[in-house]
Amino acid sequence: MKSEKKKNIIATLLTIAGFLLVWQLVSMAVDNAAFLPKASVIVLEFFKTFVNPVGKYTMTMHILISLYRVGVAFILATLVGIMMGVGMGYSKLVEAILYPLFEIIRPIPPLAWIPMSILWFGLGDASKFFIIFLGSFSFITLNTYDGTKNVDRELIGAARMLGASERQVFFKVVLPSSVPYIFAGLQIAVTAGWSSVVGAEMVRSDEGVGWLIVMGMNKGNTIQIMVGMLAIGIIGFLLAQLTTLVERRLLAWNDQ
Amino acid sequence: MSDKETKVKVTNLTKKFGDLLVLDDISFDVGKGEFLCIVGPTGCGKTTFLNSITHLYEPTSGHILIDGKEVNLKEHNISYIFQENSTMPWLTVEENVRFGLDIKSIPREEATNRVSEYLKIVGLEKYKNYYPNQLSASMLQRVVIARAFVTEPDLLLMDEPYGQLDIELRFKLEDELLELQRRTGTTVIFITHNIEEAVYLGERILILTNKPTKIKSSVFVDMQHPRNIADEEFVEIRNKVTDLIKWW
């Protein structure tokens, strides 16, 4: 088992190394830094940004600011998503009221909301929260809705037989059995929310990893754009790993 | 059962789904502490029958009284064991057994004592911190049985609880069930399509007809436990029930 794990880690590292090597070779062949900078340059620049500020801050600050925005929006999305999902999954009436509206709003991409969000929430953090919220809440809602709908009827029957009230059935059966679905939703949502950070930070800002890209674009600085992309990729990867870790800890019972 | 106090009294129980008559005017009594088996042809409405007793389905007409009162799941302590595994996957073995006690707000200390007692009886105390996905089918069914008995139910309904187990495990769990029932004096209604199982377990066997379901006959099994399935009397009763169940 252990050696298999080791093998898998080595395979992962080799893929990444291979990717960087191909990138390096192609960029050397292209030989146009503004079109495709070398992988070595981007990786080096990426590390440099942790020491040398880009704009007002170093990379650490940019990441923390973006994480703060995603964090706030993600918590809101989780609360709203779980409430909506549970409500729609559990009550036919709530489903009838909310589901069609939800399905109409869901396909509108977060980027399309930027103009309205500026109008409604101004240029500050509120509009950024709003965009990231829209980028993540539907995944949580949809998964929670699925989970609540798919509760094993046998389990509800068993609880009822043991004298459980509606309230007890809800809190002791419906909610806990939806948790794996909710977690699956949270996992997609955290990545989706983090991905929409660029869009959110296109709304006038002076900091954040999304800003790095937008500013790089405005200045025609390919290296800054790609450094920003690399930062988003790495942090997104770490966030996904973190949710998996939390999920494994909390959902030991669901581990096959 | 004539010498026993009546625990459950079913009178003129009828259940229709739309125009389909499933249960047709069924009346019978179950004595306190009796082990009653119900057999009938496949698809004859045995489960509908149990579900009507518990009011999971509202009967179309008729009455079901437990201790002289209309069935009420909040008031009466009824446990139901299904054929399918109904353990809560997110709870440990111990928490699963405790589930009904928490619902009934049994004081913590008493609940803990009762849970550990029943875990011991079904031989799962070593596995109390395991999750259902770590257990075998027979262990899961034991958890469900402990969960049912720990609430000290007035009435225990079992719907082919061992239908999915292999024969060896079934025999073992049947003996455990008899022992538990003897210790607790719980009234049991046990539904099965397995005639041998019914003769092995039951004090009395009700034989149902095909749909619309009526009671065709009632057979007493006046034999001591443990019963020997090769015993002449056993075979005789089994054959009798088999003949009664034939609808062709």
Side-chain angles (χ1 to χ4, degrees):
Chain A
M1 216 38 202
K2 272 240 157 102
S3 73
E4 198 177 318
K5 212 173 168 186
K6 229 184 229 170
K7 234 195 260 169
N8 290 342
I9 292 174
I10 292 172
T12 307
L13 291 175
L14 279 179
T15 319
I16 294 172
F19 173 73
L20 289 173
L21 185 71
V22 171
W23 175 4
Q24 183 75 8
L25 292 175
V26 172
S27 58
M28 280 163 80
V30 171
D31 197 24
N32 180 348
F35 182 73
L36 181 67
K38 291 193 184 91
S40 56
V41 172
I42 297 301
V43 173
L44 197 69
E45 280 301 315
F46 174 69
F47 285 115
K48 274 192 194 162
T49 52
F50 282 89
V51 186
N52 307 328
V54 184
K56 282 198 273 182
Y57 303 108
T58 58
M59 181 60 94
T60 315
M61 250 344 249
H62 284 300
I63 290 174
L64 286 176
I65 289 164
S66 294
L67 277 176
Y68 155 74
R69 288 172 179 152
V70 173
V72 171
F74 183 69
I75 289 169
L76 287 174
T78 304
L79 292 175
V80 174
I82 290 178
M83 282 196 292
M84 267 182 74
V86 165
M88 294 193 307
Y90 199 60
S91 152
K92 291 261 175 234
L93 181 67
V94 178
E95 188 183 21
I97 295 168
L98 290 180
Y99 192 69
L101 191 66
F102 171 72
E103 281 296 344
I104 290 169
I105 292 175
R106 194 161 72 96
I108 304 171
L111 283 179
W113 287 94
I114 289 180
M116 299 318 292
S117 79
I118 296 174
L119 273 176
W120 295 338
F121 299 104
L123 294 166
D125 271 352
S127 56
K128 295 169 183 68
F129 296 152
F130 182 65
I131 304 285
I132 300 167
F133 171 87
L134 286 169
S136 53
F137 102 103
S138 61
F139 298 105
I140 304 171
T141 309
L142 214 57
N143 271 274
T144 309
Y145 171 67
D146 259 1
T148 319
K149 266 210 139 32
N150 285 322
V151 178
D152 189 343
R153 297 280 131 192
E154 294 278 337
L155 299 186
I156 293 183
R160 287 233 167 91
M161 273 301 120
L162 289 162
S165 60
E166 272 309 304
R167 208 184 126 86
Q168 284 173 319
V169 166
F170 181 76
F171 283 105
K172 286 183 179 284
V173 182
V174 176
L175 216 49
S177 80
S178 312
V179 169
Y181 289 83
I182 296 176
F183 255 96
L186 292 180
Q187 200 156 9
I188 309 168
V190 79
T191 317
W194 179 247
S195 307
S196 40
V197 81
V198 181
E201 287 171 356
M202 278 163 90
V203 180
R204 227 204 76 74
S205 63
D206 296 319
E207 67 286 298
V209 285
W211 170 84
L212 284 176
I213 295 174
V214 178
M215 201 28 87
M217 197 166 73
N218 290 346
K219 292 192 300 191
N221 184 343
T222 318
I223 293 176
Q224 187 173 325
I225 294 173
M226 293 196 80
V227 165
M229 286 167 70
L230 185 63
I232 290 178
I234 290 173
I235 300 298
F237 171 78
L238 292 177
L239 283 176
Q241 295 300 307
L242 187 69
T243 22
T244 311
L245 209 70
V246 174
E247 185 184 9
R248 272 204 203 132
R249 266 287 161 89
L250 293 180
L251 295 180
W253 59 269
N254 202 32
D255 194 18
Q256 292 307 314
Chain B
M1 117 69 222
S2 51
D3 54 333
K4 283 180 180 164
E5 194 183 319
T6 303
K7 182 77 190 174
V8 183
K9 189 168 187 63
V10 178
T11 38
N12 311 112
L13 176 66
T14 300
K15 177 69 190 171
K16 284 183 190 168
F17 290 107
D19 288 337
L20 180 70
L21 180 62
V22 181
L23 304 178
D24 185 12
D25 197 24
I26 292 179
S27 300
F28 67 96
D29 291 356
V30 189
K32 193 169 186 173
E34 187 180 0
F35 198 123
L36 176 74
C37 287
I38 297 179
V39 295
T42 309
C44 78
K46 294 186 289 262
T47 300
T48 306
F49 183 71
L50 270 201
N51 287 339
S52 301
I53 291 180
T54 58
H55 278 228
L56 218 56
Y57 297 155
E58 202 59 45
T60 308
S61 64
H63 294 278
I64 301 142
L65 306 179
I66 294 182
D67 293 326
K69 284 186 185 162
E70 284 283 346
V71 182
N72 176 346
L73 290 180
K74 296 272 179 310
E75 189 179 332
H76 294 116
N77 194 353
I78 302 176
S79 279
Y80 197 149
I81 297 178
F82 308 88
Q83 181 172 1
E84 289 79 18
N85 162 34
S86 64
T87 52
M88 311 288 165
W90 56 91
L91 299 179
T92 61
V93 167
E94 188 177 25
E95 291 161 345
N96 261 291
V97 174
R98 203 192 172 95
F99 188 83
L101 300 177
D102 286 343
I103 281 186
K104 292 175 198 300
S105 308
I106 304 289
R108 186 176 273 271
E109 200 176 329
E110 190 192 338
T112 308
N113 291 340
R114 260 154 79 171
V115 168
S116 76
E117 183 193 341
Y118 278 90
L119 280 175
K120 211 173 283 169
I121 294 175
V122 295
L124 287 176
E125 73 265 57
K126 265 202 286 187
Y127 302 94
K128 64 179 184 181
N129 295 323
Y130 281 51
Y131 284 102
N133 69 0
Q134 298 170 294
L135 303 182
S136 67
S138 71
M139 284 159 108
L140 289 174
Q141 208 53 318
R142 281 200 185 116
V143 175
V144 174
I145 286 167
R147 182 177 74 189
F149 272 100
V150 80
T151 60
E152 293 170 358
D154 295 314
L155 176 62
L156 178 60
L157 303 171
M158 305 181 81
D159 187 3
E160 305 208 17
Y162 307 139
Q164 290 181 343
L165 300 180
D166 62 48
I167 197 155
E168 223 170 293
L169 286 171
R170 220 187 64 210
F171 282 145
K172 190 166 161 38
L173 288 181
E174 281 169 1
D175 283 340
E176 277 178 13
L177 172 65
L178 284 170
E179 173 60 18
L180 263 171
Q181 199 250 352
R182 192 188 59 76
R183 285 169 74 147
T184 55
T186 304
T187 310
V188 179
I189 300 182
F190 190 104
I191 285 195
T192 176
H193 64 270
N194 183 326
I195 296 164
E196 189 175 87
E197 186 173 45
V199 181
Y200 188 75
L201 293 172
E203 270 170 66
R204 189 162 57 111
I205 302 170
L206 284 187
I207 296 126
L208 304 181
T209 63
N210 242 328
K211 267 186 208 126
T213 308
K214 290 173 191 270
I215 294 175
K216 187 172 190 180
S217 185
S218 171
V219 173
F220 282 92
V221 187
D222 192 11
M223 290 177 73
Q224 291 298 312
H225 288 289
R227 293 172 183 168
N228 179 356
I229 56 168
D231 193 278
E232 203 177 311
E233 195 182 352
F234 189 99
V235 175
E236 202 177 297
I237 298 173
R238 198 189 66 202
N239 290 343
K240 184 176 168 191
V241 176
T242 310
D243 283 338
L244 282 165
I245 216 170
K246 280 181 184 163
W247 68 93
W248 55 92

